[in-house]
Amino acid sequence: MAFGNKKEKQALATANRLRKMADEVTFSERPDKTFNVKAFGAKGDDDADDWRALQQAIAFAYNAKGGGTLFFPPGQYRISKPLEVPVTDEEKAVSWVGYSDKTTIIVPSAPMDYMVRMRGGDGHIKGMTFKGSDPFNGSVQHAKVCMLASNIRNKTFSNVSFSWAKVHGLQITEEGNNNLCVFDQACKFEQNGTVVTGSDGSGAGDKISFSRFNPESSDVHVGAYIKIGSGPGSVYHINSVSRNSVTVSPALKNAFRSGTEYKIHIGSGLQTDRGSDNNVYGIYDCHFVGNAGAGLVVRGLYGHNVQGGNFDANGIAGIHIGSGMINTTPAYSSTINHAYFEANGYANVILDYPSGLSIIEPLLAEPVDGTAGGVASIASLRDQPFDYETTSVLHNGRFYNFINETTRNFASNTAETARITVNQAGNLLGSPIINLPAPPKHRFKEELEIYVENSNGQPVQVICDFAKVNNKPGRVGVEAPAGVGYKITAYYSRSLESWMVSHTMPLI
């Protein structure tokens, strides 16, 4: 759902009126093609309404031959209406440049669906803050979205902050050709979204109805989350919204009646919607902190690379990656590389039908209330095999991927697995004993390798205090033969609730 669809007719008329003036500005008259917004009457004094002056500056720059740079000197620019980037007939490279995200700030002074509608290819946005709250009015979150972007290409965001919107900080819609966008140099997506708490809901299956709460008028959208209860399985993805109900996936674990508390987490820091051409985003060393839903929601088609960055204290998850609906186009070929996750509410990463996702050495603090820590904090709400089968995780030097135990086999890379070495001293009597760990809490295949260098002529006993071993009682376990230089392999089967153990004898 795009939260901005109103046409600003006055802004478009202004663009047409200024087109002739912009065409008359020659390169020799403005050799650096930089347009200072204060030259158009903007004050930036946190008092005057700067909407008209900023809109004229925007229209002028986007209709100038070859585009140029809009420069925003330090100040807090208040706007009473959304700023519209005009639709132009030709490609224009227009940059928005402020002094820094601490000193150049755009804020709303009245309710609006979005503060800025960004369009167009090339150019960059640098050193600015788009803050969705009104500091003159108790910091009320007036803007639903700080920036709504469509048909943007080759756009670079550096040292830009999107904060305190009612729904999303930056929403890249499904409209147009949104390609090759880069976010770097500590872009910040902070404190966006809203949490609604109530107890007037009741539901069963995939439908939840409300007696007083109206989801449609409260910015609940497809992709928001509802949390009922606590712990694993307490969060559901909202799939559709009506005036007095929502549908969710997965289906509710238990039916419930009015009086049960629920929390609806609305909005994210950065959301890329599913679209025909939302591809190839680089997100480098950015901060996603304190957003009501997920810090980053990736619903685009393919090629999203998250490198480093901080995902901290987001209400549901640090990252939600995938299409958001069952049996729709997945999110292809994405990576999450050395990112930091801490104090997120339910999970660190939610998998929602990704395809070809690699997660490389994340730092995973245990979520506040939901999934377990470690690799278990990378989880699916629906717990479907296709959420995992093409996802691989390298964590603390160990490799994890998914194995489907009931329908078909998947290849497993065991190059980086846990290893135990048995090398029993000659003066010790009795069998070497290997006590396997508790079953893993995550859904990925975890394979253990036990290397028998020398069992001192004794068989090796493989037992488990927490589960069966080869479908036998765990304290009995299985016995591998005595030998020198061979390998015992074990992995946990959920369908059998047992560690499955085999051994490979050395070549002779």
Side-chain angles (χ1 to χ4, degrees):
M1 173 183 290
F3 283 89
N5 56 10
K6 297 179 180 178
K7 299 296 183 183
E8 189 57 67
K9 295 182 179 179
Q10 186 174 0
L12 296 178
T14 301
N16 292 330
R17 180 171 56 83
L18 292 176
R19 183 183 301 274
K20 182 178 180 181
M21 186 196 313
D23 288 343
E24 293 173 352
V25 178
T26 66
F27 184 79
S28 61
E29 291 170 325
R30 290 189 180 273
D32 59 356
K33 302 299 289 284
T34 297
F35 311 117
N36 190 322
V37 297
K38 289 195 172 182
F40 292 81
K43 301 297 185 184
D45 60 1
D46 199 22
D47 186 22
D49 181 3
D50 285 326
W51 172 80
R52 185 176 300 279
L54 293 181
Q55 188 61 65
Q56 288 186 348
I58 291 167
F60 190 92
Y62 279 87
N63 286 287
K65 292 181 178 179
T69 297
L70 282 167
F71 176 60
F72 295 75
Q76 187 148 280
Y77 299 85
R78 297 172 60 80
I79 56 173
S80 59
K81 300 177 184 179
L83 297 171
E84 295 278 350
V85 170
V87 179
T88 58
D89 297 332
E90 57 181 295
E91 294 290 334
K92 295 288 179 67
V94 177
S95 296
W96 296 37
V97 177
Y99 190 76
S100 78
D101 68 340
K102 299 290 191 299
T103 60
T104 300
I105 305 170
I106 298 178
V107 298
S109 57
M112 56 189 70
D113 285 340
Y114 53 86
M115 292 169 57
V116 177
R117 178 63 179 250
M118 181 60 64
R119 298 181 175 93
D122 296 302
H124 57 268
I125 301 170
K126 182 177 181 180
M128 304 179 67
T129 285
F130 300 89
K131 183 182 290 187
S133 64
D134 178 4
F136 267 25
N137 190 21
S139 293
V140 172
Q141 290 174 299
H142 274 328
K144 294 182 180 180
V145 178
C146 289
M147 181 179 289
L148 188 72
S150 62
N151 206 34
I152 56 173
R153 299 166 305 286
N154 306 324
K155 193 76 72 180
T156 300
F157 296 78
S158 300
N159 191 29
V160 181
S161 294
F162 302 90
S163 63
W164 292 102
K166 289 181 68 177
V167 183
H168 304 304
L170 170 59
Q171 181 183 5
I172 302 178
T173 73
E174 61 188 12
E175 303 171 35
N177 180 10
N178 301 298
N179 262 330
L180 300 171
C181 296
V182 173
F183 301 85
D184 65 4
Q185 294 184 18
C187 286
K188 302 177 184 68
F189 303 85
E190 298 177 330
Q191 307 299 331
N192 297 288
T194 310
V195 179
V196 176
T197 301
S199 58
D200 63 323
S202 61
D206 68 349
K207 185 174 182 180
I208 299 173
S209 300
F210 305 94
S211 59
R212 297 184 300 274
F213 178 65
N214 183 341
E216 276 187 340
S217 64
S218 302
D219 302 321
V220 178
H221 57 281
V222 173
Y225 309 88
I226 184 167
K227 193 172 193 297
I228 303 169
S230 62
S234 60
V235 168
Y236 302 87
H237 179 276
I238 294 178
N239 290 342
S240 66
V241 179
S242 68
R243 186 179 64 83
N244 58 8
S245 67
V246 297
T247 62
V248 299
S249 64
L252 296 168
K253 291 194 304 182
N254 300 298
F256 71 98
R257 295 182 177 180
S258 181
T260 301
E261 183 178 88
Y262 62 82
K263 291 184 178 180
I264 299 179
H265 293 252
I266 301 167
S268 59
L270 167 59
Q271 174 163 312
T272 65
D273 289 337
R274 294 188 308 276
S276 60
D277 213 359
N278 282 351
N279 304 324
V280 193
Y281 295 164
I283 302 170
Y284 305 116
D285 298 321
C286 296
H287 298 273
F288 297 82
V289 179
N291 299 289
L296 169 63
V297 179
V298 174
R299 302 186 190 280
L301 282 181
Y302 65 81
H304 293 67
N305 179 36
V306 178
Q307 174 72 48
N310 177 34
F311 298 83
D312 188 359
N314 298 288
I316 297 297
I319 300 177
H320 181 147
I321 186 166
S323 70
M325 300 288 281
I326 298 176
N327 296 327
T328 59
T329 303
Y332 294 103
S333 303
S334 298
T335 61
I336 302 171
N337 194 347
H338 289 83
Y340 173 67
F341 298 86
E342 182 178 16
N344 295 297
Y346 181 77
N348 285 322
V349 180
I350 289 179
L351 306 177
D352 202 3
Y353 204 4
S355 178
L357 170 64
S358 297
I359 302 176
I360 302 169
E361 290 295 5
L363 182 59
L364 302 170
E366 185 168 350
V368 174
D369 178 27
T371 60
V375 176
S377 67
I378 302 171
S380 168
L381 298 182
R382 298 190 309 272
D383 211 16
Q384 296 290 328
F386 53 66
D387 288 326
Y388 297 91
E389 64 186 31
T390 62
T391 297
S392 62
V393 182
L394 182 64
H395 178 52
N396 288 341
R398 298 178 62 183
F399 183 86
Y400 303 85
N401 67 353
F402 180 75
I403 182 168
N404 188 320
E405 301 179 49
T406 57
T407 58
R408 68 181 193 269
N409 293 323
F410 295 92
S412 175
N413 183 344
T414 60
E416 295 287 346
T417 55
R419 296 183 178 182
I420 301 170
T421 299
V422 174
N423 193 354
Q424 179 146 302
N427 61 351
L428 295 179
L429 300 177
S431 297
I433 296 176
I434 301 297
N435 195 346
L436 297 175
K441 295 181 180 180
H442 53 78
R443 293 286 296 173
F444 299 99
K445 179 179 178 182
E446 182 165 346
E447 194 167 85
L448 305 179
E449 292 180 346
I450 304 164
Y451 288 86
V452 182
E453 293 184 1
N454 188 350
S455 70
N456 191 28
Q458 303 293 324
V460 177
Q461 193 74 18
V462 183
I463 65 172
C464 184
D465 293 335
F466 311 97
K468 296 181 291 184
V469 180
N470 282 7
N471 281 325
K472 298 178 181 179
R475 292 302 302 169
V476 175
V478 298
E479 193 174 81
V484 176
Y486 72 94
K487 181 175 72 173
I488 301 170
T489 302
Y491 82 94
Y492 185 73
S493 169
R494 283 179 178 76
S495 60
L496 299 176
E497 298 182 336
S498 173
W499 282 99
M500 306 308 296
V501 175
S502 63
H503 61 268
T504 303
M505 295 302 294
L507 295 175
I508 299 175

